[in-house]
Amino acid sequence: MADEQAAAVKPRHRRNVGMTALALGALGVVFGDIGTSPLYALQTVFSADGFAVKATESDVFGVISLVFWTITLVVTIEFVIFIMRADNDGEGGIMALIALVQTAVIKRPRVKPALVAAGLFGVALFFGDGMITPAISVMSAVSGLQVAAPAAAHLVVPITVAVLTGLFMIQRFGTGLVGRLFGPVMVIWFIIIGLAGLLQLTQDASMLKALLPTYAVSFFVNHLGISFIALGSIVLTITGTEALYADMGHFGRPAISRAWFLLVFPTLTLNYMGQGSLILKTPSSISNPFFLLFPNWAQLPMVILATVATVIASQAVISGAFSVAKQATRLGFMPRMTIKQTSNTEIGQVYAPAINWGLFAAVVALVVGFGSSAALASAYGIAVTGTLTIDTILFLVVVRKLWQKPLWLVWLAGIVFLTVNSLFLAANMTKILHGGWFPVAIGVILLTVMLTWNRGRKQVTGIRAEREGSLRDFLHEIETLDPPVTTVPGTAVYLNAHRETAPMALRGAVNFNHAIHEQIVILSIETTKSPFVDDEERLSIDDIGYAGDNIVHLTARLGFKDTPDVPHLLALAKAEGLDAGIDVEHAAYFLSHLDVVPGGPFEMARWRKRIYCALSRNASSPTDYFCLPADRTITVGSQLEL
């Protein structure tokens, strides 16, 4: 009996160990952003210019109560309990919601494109978040020097730029090695900030009363104008909420939920209450309540730990930007770009050089231009609230259209969640002239680029399909040519966008050279609305109506997070029984390239045509994108007027 009980316990023990490891990993990646918000959130609330949140008992209790219930309603209830249930094959984030909405049946023809456009604006705001988070987080940590060593205050900006430069320079090496250290560091971070708040509360436990919602309601009702504007800064306590959802595919909802409820939520609550207690006791501490929670001897070590924690927070956002860029590219909303896999085991670890250096330039410009974390805070809130509001709208569509939940339930959830999100968004609109214009401008620019690329790509794809013509008809022409086409030794692989059309490069070989290879593989790649596709479901051999056995057509199905590695796909096809005469290892690869220039008759504003053509010219090489061997790849080009 004892042996049977031990045998039953072992699997449960293994599951617990695995869940603990996932929760630890989530602490190092998912919670860095929201976990470093105490560095600047309350300081911004009480120090912001132009409105009178004072260090009085009613104001402090009201603000701390608002902070607690904001985190509870938005992060805990809305996202952790509800929105994280909306996954796309385990993947989360706004791109997953866009993919889910695209599969929904919506009768009104203009509603779905509008929802997708709103989702893309949320993606654009996420990139804006990716620019602001490293700047404000690292600068907030380094600003602790003003408390620990006032004489070094003038070094805050140079040190911040130096730290950020090092952070972006190491991106190309991947985060696998460093990532294993992130979890333990963040555990130490959360324990220390929680203990700091707890020690302050032991001196005066009255701040625990701020957990009652009555203080938040009373503050909001009695100071309507002040509290409304204060919401624009209180929202900084929930920065990183999108990361909880976006990184769900890496760790799973159970691990993230456990880490949140068991460690992150309690320690954040203790720290914010501790800061509130300190402000009430020493009103001058509003200058930097986080670092002033610690004794003098601990302030400099905390500056170092906070800098490490903010680098981790920044890393999570930067990695998320790489992942979102990859997904947007595969779904056709961004031009082809170089995406490098930095890990042999973790598919989520990727590096996008163009995104990396673009973010770096923007981050350094923000640090130098704004000059302080308090000034940057004004630019931060709109990116956060805008993304969260769009997440909520798309989630409600999924609940109604895909989950088929009752309309009254959707309306109830919408009234509660959208009212909260809309209040925060409206409060942040007051910051437009004080830095809030930055994420809005970034969002508008990137949305315009994504919609322009998507529309231009569809038009070019249609024109290309017309030029290529029917593959079946073309193969029939080859069979009936007189004299017959010449056959040359070797295997040729032609990549083609359409399953039913003939590759232009193959047409060129027949029309101009009157020759084809002994073995020909025509490969078409389709991107699904799912993030990943299993190997056994990736490939299919298509019937192309060709009597010979020297030409085969393969269709590869890839998820929008899969890497389009063509040699790997061909090796997989060979292992599954592709014609033994096809030499995958020494095959020549042929690409059909269209040089798109403006000037055609198609319905598209000329300035948008110029944008599309510029993006097309600067897209990454398809040789790199499809992981092709450069010494065996031939590109056949032609021109097209859009």
Side-chain angles (χ1 to χ4, degrees):
M1 178 66 72
D3 291 341
E4 292 178 1
Q5 290 176 343
V9 168
K10 284 182 179 178
R12 184 184 305 167
H13 172 70
R14 292 193 192 99
R15 286 196 298 270
N16 290 338
V17 171
M19 185 61 66
T20 301
L22 284 173
L24 183 64
L27 284 169
V29 175
V30 175
F31 296 105
D33 194 357
I34 197 169
T36 53
S37 295
L39 282 165
Y40 50 81
L42 284 190
Q43 178 187 6
T44 304
V45 173
F46 286 95
S47 301
D49 297 330
F51 68 93
V53 176
K54 303 297 184 184
T56 61
E57 183 173 329
S58 61
D59 283 15
V60 172
F61 272 78
V63 166
I64 299 302
S65 186
L66 275 176
V67 167
F68 173 75
W69 285 103
T70 294
I71 297 174
T72 300
L73 288 173
V74 177
V75 184
T76 303
I77 297 176
E78 183 178 0
F79 273 81
V80 175
I81 295 179
F82 287 107
I83 291 185
M84 285 178 64
R85 296 178 185 274
D87 68 281
N88 185 20
D89 286 350
E91 291 294 319
I94 196 164
M95 288 302 303
L97 284 174
I98 292 173
L100 289 173
V101 167
Q102 286 181 316
T103 64
V105 177
I106 299 177
K107 294 180 180 179
R108 296 181 181 179
R110 295 184 180 181
V111 172
K112 185 182 290 187
L115 290 170
V116 171
L120 291 175
F121 187 61
V123 171
L125 288 175
F126 180 77
F127 280 108
D129 188 11
M131 297 172 187
I132 300 173
T133 293
I136 190 173
S137 298
V138 176
M139 182 172 275
S140 296
V142 179
S143 294
L145 284 173
Q146 297 172 342
V147 176
H154 65 285
L155 296 176
V156 169
V157 171
I159 292 175
T160 300
V161 171
V163 171
L164 290 169
T165 301
L167 174 63
F168 281 94
M169 287 184 67
I170 65 171
Q171 293 303 311
R172 62 191 181 94
F173 298 110
T175 59
L177 179 63
V178 182
R180 288 192 287 271
L181 301 175
F182 283 3
V185 170
M186 292 309 294
V187 169
I188 294 170
W189 168 260
F190 283 116
I191 290 174
I192 288 177
I193 67 172
L195 285 175
L198 181 61
L199 289 174
Q200 177 63 37
L201 289 175
T202 59
Q203 301 177 31
D204 181 9
S206 64
M207 189 55 62
L208 292 171
K209 294 186 296 184
L211 298 180
L212 297 172
T214 51
Y215 285 93
V217 174
S218 175
F219 177 71
F220 204 84
V221 171
N222 296 330
H223 305 82
L224 188 59
I226 295 172
S227 58
F228 178 75
I229 298 174
L231 288 178
S233 298
I234 289 173
V235 75
L236 298 176
T237 62
I238 56 173
T239 60
T241 304
E242 169 68 13
L244 303 180
Y245 186 32
D247 288 319
M248 187 169 64
H250 296 290
F251 304 100
R253 181 171 173 264
I256 292 175
S257 299
R258 290 190 183 189
W260 172 254
F261 284 112
L262 295 178
L263 181 63
V264 181
F265 189 24
T267 55
L268 285 178
T269 301
L270 285 172
N271 189 266
Y272 283 124
M273 287 197 298
Q275 289 190 47
S277 175
L278 178 64
I279 291 171
L280 202 56
K281 178 183 177 182
T282 312
S284 62
S285 64
I286 61 173
S287 61
N288 203 318
F290 177 83
F291 284 104
L292 290 172
L293 267 181
F294 299 89
N296 293 336
W297 62 266
Q299 288 172 355
L300 190 56
M302 278 307 299
V303 171
I304 297 172
L305 179 60
T307 302
V308 174
T310 54
V311 166
I312 294 172
S314 302
Q315 178 63 62
V317 176
I318 295 167
S319 299
F322 295 160
S323 180
V324 168
K326 179 181 178 180
Q327 295 174 53
T329 299
R330 299 303 312 283
L331 289 174
F333 294 111
M334 293 181 72
R336 188 175 56 244
M337 65 180 67
T338 299
I339 305 286
K340 297 181 179 180
Q341 200 74 29
T342 59
S343 170
N344 294 325
T345 57
E346 299 297 329
I347 194 167
Q349 292 185 15
V350 295
Y351 169 62
I355 299 296
N356 184 67
W357 296 114
L359 285 177
F360 172 69
V363 168
V364 172
L366 283 170
V367 169
V368 176
F370 282 83
S372 71
S373 58
L376 274 168
S378 296
Y380 206 6
I382 291 180
V384 175
T385 54
T387 304
L388 298 186
T389 302
I390 294 169
D391 276 342
T392 304
I393 293 171
L394 297 183
F395 170 71
L396 293 173
V397 173
V398 170
V399 170
R400 177 59 180 166
K401 295 298 182 180
L402 293 184
W403 298 354
Q404 300 294 312
K405 296 298 181 181
L407 188 58
W408 67 266
L409 183 63
V410 177
W411 272 105
L412 179 62
I415 290 171
V416 174
F417 294 145
L418 286 178
T419 297
V420 174
N421 291 332
S422 298
L423 278 172
F424 282 114
L425 182 59
N428 276 277
M429 287 298 179
T430 62
K431 300 179 179 180
I432 289 289
L433 298 179
H434 303 283
W437 58 268
F438 179 81
V440 174
I442 293 295
V444 170
I445 291 170
L446 291 180
L447 177 63
T448 301
V449 168
M450 287 189 286
L451 292 178
T452 298
W453 176 260
N454 186 252
R455 183 177 178 186
R457 181 187 59 82
K458 289 179 179 178
Q459 289 191 349
V460 169
T461 300
I463 300 166
R464 180 172 184 158
E466 291 180 7
R467 287 192 179 184
E468 290 171 341
S470 168
L471 177 60
R472 288 176 177 267
D473 293 345
F474 177 67
L475 294 178
H476 179 69
E477 292 175 14
I478 292 178
E479 291 179 307
T480 57
L481 281 175
D482 187 20
V485 67
T486 302
T487 301
V488 297
T491 298
V493 179
Y494 290 88
L495 271 66
N496 201 41
H498 301 278
R499 185 188 302 183
E500 305 294 333
T501 62
M504 288 190 294
L506 180 57
R507 280 190 178 275
V510 173
N511 295 336
F512 296 104
N513 300 327
H514 206 70
I516 58 174
H517 284 72
E518 284 180 329
Q519 299 291 338
I520 293 176
V521 178
I522 301 173
L523 176 65
S524 298
I525 297 177
E526 296 179 352
T527 301
T528 69
K529 296 292 192 298
S530 300
F532 304 106
V533 174
D534 295 333
D535 277 353
E536 56 268 20
E537 299 177 0
R538 284 190 191 278
L539 294 168
S540 61
I541 299 177
D542 304 310
D543 177 14
I544 52 177
Y546 181 65
D549 59 359
N550 65 320
I551 301 179
V552 296
H553 191 289
L554 292 175
T555 296
R557 299 175 66 253
L558 299 179
F560 59 77
K561 294 193 75 173
D562 285 323
T563 299
D565 187 338
V566 169
H568 171 73
L569 292 172
L570 294 175
L572 185 64
K574 194 72 179 287
E576 292 182 358
L578 190 65
D579 190 333
I582 293 175
D583 185 3
V584 173
E585 292 185 2
H586 301 94
Y589 296 89
F590 290 84
L591 301 171
S592 306
H593 173 69
L594 278 177
D595 182 20
V596 184
V597 296
F602 301 98
E603 294 183 1
M604 194 173 180
R606 188 169 183 83
W607 63 271
R608 297 187 74 181
K609 290 183 180 181
R610 291 183 179 278
I611 291 175
Y612 178 86
C613 293
L615 293 172
S616 179
R617 285 194 299 271
N618 289 282
S620 70
S621 166
T623 302
D624 296 332
Y625 184 75
F626 292 109
C627 307
L628 304 177
D631 58 339
R632 289 186 280 121
T633 302
I634 299 96
T635 301
V636 179
S638 62
Q639 192 176 81
L640 181 151
E641 288 191 355
L642 181 63

